[in-house]
Amino acid sequence: MEIPSVIAQRRSLLLAACALPVALWGCNRGDSGAAVKAVEIDPATTCDFDGMLLADYPGPKAQIHYADAAAPVFFCDTVEMFSALLRPEQVRPVRAVLTQDMAHADWNQPRGHWFDARSGFYVAGSKRHGSMGPTFASFAAEAEARKFATEHGGKVLRFADVKPEMADLGGGSQHDKHM
């Protein structure tokens, strides 16, 4: 075997080894290129976490479109959405994350007004509760989030500002008046 061909083979293997993690990272980012359309909830739509009927509860809802699934996974609360996305074991590639713009959706019976959750603004710690008690009120525009925080209290955050410890699912039963 000639030395130049050994070097060429090693160089090819090294490039292939480097390309694999980059390719996998690209697949895991969720950038499929195709726009994902929101799926509207209906009276039978249930939450992936707890089986609750989304239509029966107030506050913003969410849906995650995974790359390996045809149908979205629904959440009856934005806290559940953040919990699902921020768990360390979350490794499924995500195509889209959608939530409702509460500047336009009715808080008590939210329908429609879906937007890309990753571009949104969230109000944490307001007096308004969702299906599981305290929630992150979701808004497509920062000005609307700030207006909501002025009226109902809370702090305005960007999607990236929400940390895993803030998406605590432990307190929901304390606020459920039906239990």
Side-chain angles (χ1 to χ4, degrees):
M1 191 179 252
E2 294 178 11
I3 298 295
S5 73
V6 170
I7 292 171
Q9 285 177 341
R10 285 186 181 170
R11 190 173 293 152
S12 295
L13 286 173
L14 181 61
L15 287 173
C18 291
L20 181 61
V22 172
L24 290 175
W25 176 78
C27 290
N28 214 13
R29 286 185 13 223
D31 298 336
S32 67
V36 174
K37 189 171 172 88
V39 175
E40 191 54 59
I41 61 173
D42 62 39
T45 306
T46 59
C47 175
D48 187 63
F49 269 7
D50 51 30
M52 292 171 58
L53 292 170
L54 273 65
D56 289 352
Y57 296 92
K61 311 300 180 232
Q63 53 186 278
I64 298 176
H65 295 254
Y66 291 105
D68 61 355
V73 171
F74 288 96
F75 300 93
C76 56
D77 197 286
T78 51
V79 173
E80 292 176 337
M81 171 194 75
F82 279 112
S83 179
L85 290 171
L86 300 177
R87 289 187 314 224
E89 65 271 16
Q90 164 50 21
V91 295
R92 289 176 73 184
V94 174
R95 287 189 309 142
V97 182
L98 304 171
T99 190
Q100 294 172 299
D101 186 351
M102 298 314 291
H104 303 287
D106 179 327
W107 188 273
N108 293 317
Q109 294 185 334
R111 299 292 183 273
H113 306 287
W114 298 97
F115 72 97
D116 181 348
R118 294 173 282 200
S119 67
F121 298 88
Y122 299 86
V123 179
S126 82
K127 294 177 216 161
R128 302 291 312 255
H129 285 190
S131 66
M132 299 302 291
T135 192
F136 295 101
S138 50
F139 298 90
E142 184 176 11
E144 296 291 349
R146 294 209 178 281
K147 179 181 174 189
F148 181 90
T150 299
E151 292 175 19
H152 302 284
K155 179 180 177 182
V156 176
L157 303 167
R158 292 181 177 276
F159 183 89
D161 295 333
V162 179
K163 304 300 177 214
E165 60 272 11
M166 298 167 76
D168 180 19
L169 297 176
S173 62
Q174 296 172 22
H175 304 281
D176 190 344
K177 306 290 188 244
H178 304 295
M179 292 183 88

